[in-house]
Amino acid sequence: MSQQISRRTSLQTLSLAAGGLLARPLDLFANQQDAPKKVGIALVGLGNYATNQLAPALLETQNCYLAGIVTGSPDKAKTWAEKYSIPAKNIYNYQTFDQIRNNPDIDIIYVVLPNFMHAEYTIRAAQAGKHVICEKPMAMNATEARQMITACEKAGVQLSVGYRLYFEPHHLEMRRLAAENTFGHVKVVESGLGFTVPGPNSWRLDKKIGGGGAIMDLGIYAIQGARRTLNLDPISVTAQAFTFDKEHFKDIHETVFWQFEFPGGTVAHCSTTYSSYVDRLYATCERGWFKLEPSYNATGAQGVTSRGIMELPSPHYQQIAQMDAFVQAIRTKTKPEASGEEGWKDMKLIGAILQAAETGRKIQLDWGEGK
């Protein structure tokens, strides 16, 4: 077991040390001899995820803290100010948002708005000179995602996507088992996430706001489960889409299946749906298998291999490691593990999946020169 922990620690260290994008230097250290000071984060949008996941996680982070909020609700502003001791000068609404550039307490903007607003507020945050975390899905499409990356590069700030599972112990273990060929070469991956659709008035069902239903909301996890386990990008995709409940799903797909082909001969069969429950990541190899079930939910994963149970910790808030890692990337001027490029890849893959489903053709994927 100690050898297993050592390997996991090594993999996580390598993961967090990935080099890359140069950030605008910030005075994130009180001085060279003191411990680094905590970095201020402002949450933009105070919905369910910010309220029940991000804000509580920020009470436990080591490198950052909740410094400010942006909300259109005076009632929420009052409640949050009292609960988290946020000073009035660090509270903004959507009309005063751009004034955040003048606030030295806030170094990072975390965009937690509906999908169609991600690009706008990421770009505005970058133009205000702030580093940015954008909640997933990064954008409405790959073109928007590329515009966001370009804006942050131009402003000299770092960009990350809110991919909490990039730092979750069970997912790191899946990645290690594949990388080390513990059970031989991975032949097939199965990856799926779905749940019963939210209420009929949910913004997630509106294509103009949510971007495409389950494939945007949940399918992105299934995509990542496959490509992150293998540490590879797919070279082709085929897909099938179904809609049976046409009353609720007017211009989005109810259920989508897709198949990725990876370099080296591995195939992934993936699914997402808004009409039933699935939460699973499974890899089968030449001499065994390993899986997470549940895999993607925010309350914790459970892992098993053909040799036995994965005895791993399950953090109460997966976002703690996610946000602390981003601050560390800023401090070391290295590319974040959950970078904007990672978000762009997922948007490109979602576009290819939908194209394959709607045309019935196999779509070849070209990753050259950031296309």
Side-chain angles (χ1 to χ4, degrees):
M1 183 63 190
S2 61
Q3 184 180 16
Q4 185 182 45
I5 293 173
S6 175
R7 285 174 177 167
R8 281 199 310 276
T9 303
S10 176
L11 178 60
Q12 189 168 23
T13 300
L14 288 171
S15 173
L16 297 178
L21 190 63
L22 185 66
R24 170 180 67 100
L26 284 177
D27 180 18
L28 301 184
F29 296 84
N31 63 56
Q32 295 290 9
Q33 297 181 344
D34 292 338
K37 75 183 185 74
K38 284 193 172 186
V39 174
I41 291 183
L43 298 178
V44 183
L46 306 183
N48 177 67
Y49 190 67
T51 301
N52 297 317
Q53 296 287 329
L54 295 176
L58 280 163
L59 294 176
E60 301 183 33
T61 43
Q62 298 299 307
N63 297 332
C64 47
Y65 73 102
L66 178 59
I69 54 175
V70 180
T71 177
S73 167
D75 291 339
K76 284 185 180 180
K78 183 175 183 296
T79 299
W80 280 63
E82 293 172 353
K83 184 172 183 178
Y84 295 104
S85 301
I86 301 171
K89 68 184 181 66
N90 292 358
I91 299 174
Y92 299 84
N93 57 41
Y94 298 107
Q95 289 70 47
T96 62
F97 172 77
D98 297 305
Q99 296 174 19
I100 212 163
R101 70 171 61 248
N102 302 316
N103 193 328
D105 293 347
I106 296 168
D107 301 299
I108 298 170
I109 303 292
Y110 198 139
V111 179
V112 207
L113 295 165
N115 303 343
F116 80 106
M117 303 174 78
H118 286 184
E120 176 190 348
Y121 277 85
T122 293
I123 292 169
R124 287 170 66 180
Q127 291 171 343
K130 307 299 182 180
H131 300 289
V132 189
I133 306 174
C134 180
E135 193 44 49
K136 66 85 196 164
M138 179 179 175
M140 297 287 274
N141 51 58
T143 299
E144 271 194 359
R146 181 55 61 188
Q147 291 168 351
M148 295 158 72
I149 292 169
T150 300
C152 289
E153 289 176 343
K154 183 178 179 180
V157 299
Q158 290 272 33
L159 171 62
S160 182
V161 185
Y163 289 156
R164 54 188 167 80
L165 296 178
Y166 276 40
F167 312 94
E168 199 278 333
H170 294 82
H171 284 262
L172 289 171
E173 179 68 352
M174 292 288 286
R175 196 170 169 85
R176 182 191 73 81
L177 290 170
E180 297 184 4
N181 289 317
T182 303
F183 299 97
H185 181 65
V186 178
K187 294 292 190 180
V188 177
V189 173
E190 296 176 10
S191 182
L193 180 62
F195 56 66
T196 303
V197 66
N201 297 322
S202 171
W203 62 265
R204 298 180 188 279
L205 297 179
D206 187 335
K207 189 173 183 179
K208 292 186 175 114
I209 297 175
I215 187 67
M216 292 283 282
D217 182 22
L218 307 177
I220 198 164
Y221 288 108
I223 290 170
Q224 288 183 352
R227 72 178 188 84
R228 289 285 296 176
T229 294
L230 298 170
N231 194 26
L232 292 170
D233 294 321
I235 57 177
S236 71
V237 59
T238 53
Q240 307 80 40
F242 303 89
T243 301
F244 298 102
D245 183 354
K246 293 182 171 56
E247 180 180 349
H248 285 99
F249 305 102
K250 293 183 170 41
D251 56 0
I252 60 175
H253 300 301
E254 179 179 347
T255 299
V256 184
F257 296 95
W258 67 95
Q259 300 77 40
F260 285 145
E261 180 185 353
F262 288 91
T266 302
V267 176
H269 180 63
C270 307
S271 65
T272 190
T273 181
Y274 262 165
S275 59
S276 61
Y277 178 83
V278 60
D279 187 351
R280 183 172 187 258
L281 175 59
Y282 175 86
T284 182
C285 313
E286 296 165 317
R287 300 186 300 276
W289 53 267
F290 46 102
K291 73 170 183 174
L292 303 181
E293 192 169 5
S295 175
Y296 302 109
N297 67 59
T299 58
Q302 295 180 22
V304 182
T305 79
S306 49
R307 295 178 186 169
I309 295 172
M310 293 182 192
E311 298 288 352
L312 296 169
S314 188
H316 185 54
Y317 292 112
Q318 298 164 347
Q319 298 83 359
I320 295 171
Q322 170 206 324
M323 290 187 283
D324 275 340
F326 183 52
V327 175
Q328 193 60 21
I330 295 171
R331 287 173 173 162
T332 58
K333 299 181 175 66
T334 54
K335 188 173 187 176
E337 180 72 6
S339 67
E341 292 288 339
E342 289 289 287
W344 169 80
K345 284 182 179 181
D346 290 333
M347 299 315 304
K348 180 180 173 76
L349 288 170
I350 288 174
I353 289 165
L354 292 173
Q355 183 183 0
E358 289 161 7
T359 64
R361 295 188 291 109
K362 176 186 281 192
I363 304 301
Q364 302 295 329
L365 294 159
D366 181 2
W367 297 103
E369 300 180 358
K371 293 180 181 177

